[in-house]
Amino acid sequence: MNLGAHVDDLIVLAERGVDLQKTMGVLRACDGRLAWLGEGLENSWGWLHIIREKRLQQIRDKFGPVPLEKVEQMIYETMKDGQVTKYVPGDRITYTKEFPDKNGVLAPFSVGVSDRSTGISPGRVMTAHADD
C-alpha cells in the first residue's frame, strides 16, 4: 500500500535491498523520513512481530478487540500524523499518537522505526505497541 510515498522512494527501498513484494505500506512519516511496514519476522521485527499473540493481546487489552486492519491503520496514522517522542540516533525513532482506548479515553500508541544503517534498514517498522 502506497500511503503517499513517491516512485523515487520505492526505488530507494529497492536499492537498500528491501523486498517490495513483502512490503505492506510505504509512507513519509511526520518528520519527513521514509518509513515502511514489512512482513518481518515473528520474533524480531515488522508485521509478524506486531501481530504475534503476546503483542497483539497487549494492544487489544488497551484498545479493545480491534481487527488487524485497524492495527495496521493505527501504525500508519501514528507515523504519519503522530509525533517523534524518542530518537536515539543510529538506533531507533519512536512515533506516538493517541487513539481512543476501549473506554473511549485517549491513550498513546507507539511505533518503533529503525534508524540503523546496518542490519535492519533505516525506516523499517520494528514494532508497535500500546503505551502503559
Side-chain angles (χ1 to χ4, degrees), residues 80-125:
K80 193 169 182 104
D81 302 325
Q83 297 180 324
V84 174
T85 53
K86 186 175 183 181
Y87 176 47
V88 180
D91 184 38
R92 177 187 296 218
I93 305 154
T94 302
Y95 299 94
T96 303
K97 180 177 166 59
E98 291 183 324
F99 294 91
D101 69 9
K102 62 185 176 188
N103 299 312
V105 177
L106 289 178
F109 179 80
S110 292
V111 177
V113 176
S114 174
D115 190 46
R116 300 174 188 163
S117 59
T118 59
I120 297 176
S121 300
R124 180 183 292 179
V125 172

Side-chain angles (χ1 to χ4, degrees), residues 11-132:
I11 292 169
V12 167
L13 291 180
E15 288 173 347
R16 289 183 187 168
V18 173
D19 184 346
L20 296 178
Q21 295 287 341
K22 294 183 178 182
T23 299
M24 299 171 62
V26 179
L27 58 82
R28 285 282 171 181
C30 59
D31 60 351
R33 294 176 195 272
L34 181 59
W36 54 280
L37 176 62
E39 184 179 283
L41 301 169
E42 184 176 334
N43 293 318
S44 183
W45 64 273
W47 182 244
L48 294 177
H49 174 72
I50 295 164
I51 64 166
R52 75 188 196 283
E53 185 176 343
K54 179 182 175 184
R55 180 57 45 93
L56 185 58
Q57 188 59 50
Q58 186 257 357
I59 292 169
R60 288 179 170 163
D61 285 348
K62 178 65 87 173
F63 295 102
V66 292
L68 294 180
E69 295 80 13
K70 175 64 176 170
V71 174
E72 183 179 2
Q73 189 62 38
M74 289 169 69
I75 292 168
Y76 299 138
E77 284 183 33
T78 298
M79 291 187 296
K80 193 169 182 104
D81 302 325
Q83 297 180 324
V84 174
T85 53
K86 186 175 183 181
Y87 176 47
V88 180
D91 184 38
R92 177 187 296 218
I93 305 154
T94 302
Y95 299 94
T96 303
K97 180 177 166 59
E98 291 183 324
F99 294 91
D101 69 9
K102 62 185 176 188
N103 299 312
V105 177
L106 289 178
F109 179 80
S110 292
V111 177
V113 176
S114 174
D115 190 46
R116 300 174 188 163
S117 59
T118 59
I120 297 176
S121 300
R124 180 183 292 179
V125 172
M126 299 186 325
T127 192
H129 56 86
D131 294 343
D132 294 330

